[in-house]
Amino acid sequence: MRKMRLDRLLARGGVSRREAAALVKAGRVTVNGVSAADPAMALDLDSDRVTLNGEAVRTDKHFHVMLNKPAGVLTATEDGRGQTVLDLLPRTWQSLGLGPVGRLDKDTTGLVILTTDGQLAHRLIAPKWEQGKRYLARVEGRATDEDARRMAQGIPLKDFTCKPAKMTVLEAGDAESLCEIIVTEGKYHQVKRMFGALGHPVTALHRASIAGVELDPSLPPGGWRELTAEERTHLYTITELEE
Ligand code: URA
């Protein structure tokens, strides 16, 4: 049975514990159709139904969303210096405890998954679990099959050697090329450093998928949605975790 205190559940929606207690005392909260009296009451999240001001309060154990990060936004949950991916969500979603599954650079666009499940996030990022992250990279110069072969061998960088990555040249031109690359690790600036080491500085980088979950093409830059039940189940299955 999944248990949680009533005031804690209400606080996930953005109110403080004290405000949650006041809402309960004011009779604005019901549990299973009955006005709640005790903010500290233990809920069974699997079966109890809670309302606040007549509206259902979600009792999900975890929340997971995908977001199409625009350039210029930080993949952080808090930052005094600029807009973060969390700022792109409605206010009630900002207090749930969502954290990003891996970080994108400020100028990188595309898929960011945010989850409240830290263990899931860890297994999607940890190189040991070898979950592929697929990127589209626009690079300077003509990318070649030889570059792809070197990526597949593992590019040595100054501080470490990258794990083998699958790179495909999608468009090759003398001035610039478009490549797809799938990496299973995510060190700082890694994709940019890998192409840089081959003499192809990255001019634009976009993440298209994480562990088989594709960025929804209907999401505009800055748009977000919850993961579907199918996407959620897929991620829990491949990380061998219980949903
Ligand atoms: N690799 C990079 O260099 N930057 C990113 O944002 C993601 C992967």
Side-chain angles (χ1 to χ4, degrees):
M1 184 163 74
R2 297 185 293 116
K3 289 199 163 258
M4 187 183 287
R5 276 171 59 128
L6 177 58
D7 54 359
R8 178 146 178 253
L9 179 79
L10 297 171
R12 292 201 308 192
V15 296
S16 68
R17 285 265 187 112
R18 182 183 292 203
E19 287 164 339
L23 289 167
V24 172
K25 300 275 191 232
R28 288 161 65 182
V29 178
T30 67
V31 177
N32 301 324
V34 179
S35 185
D38 179 8
M41 82 177 276
L43 298 170
D44 174 355
L45 294 184
D46 292 320
S47 61
D48 286 336
R49 295 287 159 255
V50 180
T51 68
L52 169 63
N53 296 327
E55 305 240 335
V57 176
R58 286 181 56 174
T59 53
D60 310 54
K61 182 177 179 194
H62 284 298
F63 294 88
H64 320 274
V65 309
M66 72 158 68
L67 184 146
N68 184 1
K69 183 181 116 39
V73 173
L74 299 160
T75 314
T77 47
E78 253 177 62
D79 198 296
R81 291 163 302 165
Q83 191 183 29
T84 72
V85 285
L86 220 56
D87 295 328
L88 298 172
L89 300 178
R91 207 180 62 81
T92 49
W93 282 77
Q94 293 176 3
S95 46
L96 294 174
L98 288 162
V101 175
R103 283 168 189 262
L104 293 181
D105 297 334
K106 191 173 177 184
D107 60 352
T108 301
T109 59
L111 178 63
V112 174
I113 292 177
L114 295 148
T115 177
T116 56
D117 188 341
Q119 205 177 12
L120 177 67
H122 172 75
R123 291 197 182 180
L124 291 172
I125 301 166
K128 184 178 130 192
W129 283 82
E130 303 211 325
Q131 301 300 348
K133 287 96 190 161
R134 189 163 63 84
Y135 293 86
L136 294 174
R138 199 160 281 286
V139 303
E140 288 182 16
R142 180 176 289 276
T144 63
D145 290 345
E146 169 61 13
D147 293 324
R149 203 184 55 74
R150 289 176 63 190
M151 292 284 199
Q153 284 178 339
I155 303 284
L157 297 176
K158 228 191 310 173
D159 42 340
F160 74 104
T161 297
C162 301
K163 286 191 165 200
K166 187 170 171 1
M167 192 271 264
T168 312
V169 182
L170 301 178
E171 292 167 22
D174 286 337
E176 65 167 27
S177 304
L178 179 66
C179 302
E180 179 191 78
I181 184 164
I182 301 171
V183 295
T184 55
E185 53 191 351
K187 299 216 170 64
Y188 190 59
H189 290 336
Q190 181 161 348
V191 172
K192 290 176 184 167
R193 290 179 69 194
M194 289 164 78
F195 278 103
L198 297 179
H200 299 297
V202 171
T203 54
L205 189 60
H206 178 84
R207 184 155 64 192
S209 76
I210 297 174
V213 172
E214 301 282 328
L215 177 62
D216 187 331
S218 73
L219 286 179
W224 70 284
R225 68 158 169 78
E226 281 189 74
L227 293 192
T228 62
E230 225 174 32
E231 289 165 340
R232 255 183 1 241
T233 302
H234 166 70
L235 292 182
Y236 276 95
T237 304
I238 60 171
T239 52
E240 298 173 19
L241 290 169
E242 291 235 345
E243 205 170 333

